Amino acid sequence: SPAYHAECRTPASTVQFIQHVQEVAGLPVGIKFCVGDPREVLTLLEEMKAQGIFPDYIAVDGGEGGTGAAPKPYLDGFGMPLLPALRAVQHLLVELDVREKVKVFAAGTLINAAKWVHAMSLGADAIYTARGFMLALGCIQALQCSSNTCPVGITTHDPVLQHGLDVTDKAQRVKNYVDGVTHDFEDLVCSIGVTSTRQLSPANLYIPSASINAGEVGA
């Protein structure tokens, strides 16, 4: 990806480009970012509200996500972790009274059902995830995604290396992962006592800064 897009030099031009893509595509259009500074997100949301233009969804990715093709210093040191970033975006949308204008997706190593519950409790309408599927497919996180030398045959066009990906075997492994994590997610949601993910909220989570002090609890 380029460091920046020519159409997105300012918040105003970025919002206008969102509308342009929506008009051309005729399909749901979203934007995706990893939060670096919530104030920058606020500026962008304020511009959306001023112009009356919103993407169909905002995808919030955590700094712990990303791809093996990214430089390691960026993987290790840039971007807010998903959960505080998601909480910040949700708060800003509510404060600006535009939460109903846009859906919120979340990603960032959401590999198991508990993490799905965490993300949805903090405001995500849906989650999207790749890591669990990739590991089920046989990814060993060799960080060679962009080099065409993936040793297990997933991210390569080299016909020799591609033989490492046994489709019949790995398809069943991916199915097992999907069945297992979906079952766990349904169990967790039922255990919380809600009948829909829309009923999940921060009240379902332990958030230290929002928790009562031990001294306030009776014996």
Side-chain angles (χ1 to χ4, degrees), residues 147-165:
S147 66
N148 203 38
T149 57
C150 174
V152 292
I154 298 175
T155 61
T156 178
H157 296 292
D158 185 321
V160 175
L161 293 174
Q162 283 181 339
H163 281 299
L165 182 60

Side-chain angles (χ1 to χ4, degrees), residues 103-178:
K103 298 297 184 183
V104 176
F105 297 170
T109 66
L110 297 177
I111 194 171
N112 59 48
K115 290 187 175 183
W116 295 8
V117 171
H118 296 165
M120 289 187 169
S121 295
L122 288 173
D125 294 297
I127 63 99
Y128 63 102
T129 178
R131 191 167 308 235
F133 294 88
M134 292 292 289
L135 293 175
L137 197 59
C139 173
I140 60 171
Q141 301 185 81
L143 302 181
Q144 298 178 33
C145 308
S146 59
S147 66
N148 203 38
T149 57
C150 174
V152 292
I154 298 175
T155 61
T156 178
H157 296 292
D158 185 321
V160 175
L161 293 174
Q162 283 181 339
H163 281 299
L165 182 60
D166 183 330
V167 176
T168 302
D169 175 59
K170 297 302 171 62
Q172 184 61 47
R173 291 171 182 256
V174 172
K175 179 182 184 301
N176 293 343
Y177 168 71
V178 174

Side-chain angles (χ1 to χ4, degrees), residues 59-121:
V60 181
D61 206 345
E64 65 272 54
T67 167
K72 195 170 188 303
Y74 287 85
L75 288 172
D76 293 342
F78 272 40
M80 291 176 63
L82 172 63
L83 297 185
L86 183 59
R87 193 179 186 195
V89 171
Q90 169 76 359
H91 173 74
L92 292 174
L93 287 168
V94 171
E95 284 293 300
L96 291 174
D97 195 27
V98 295
R99 182 61 181 85
E100 298 305 315
K101 299 287 187 181
V102 62
K103 298 297 184 183
V104 176
F105 297 170
T109 66
L110 297 177
I111 194 171
N112 59 48
K115 290 187 175 183
W116 295 8
V117 171
H118 296 165
M120 289 187 169
S121 295

Side-chain angles (χ1 to χ4, degrees), residues 45-70:
L45 295 179
E46 288 176 334
E47 186 63 36
M48 292 177 186
K49 183 174 182 178
Q51 293 192 38
I53 298 170
F54 295 88
D56 295 281
Y57 65 88
I58 293 174
V60 181
D61 206 345
E64 65 272 54
T67 167

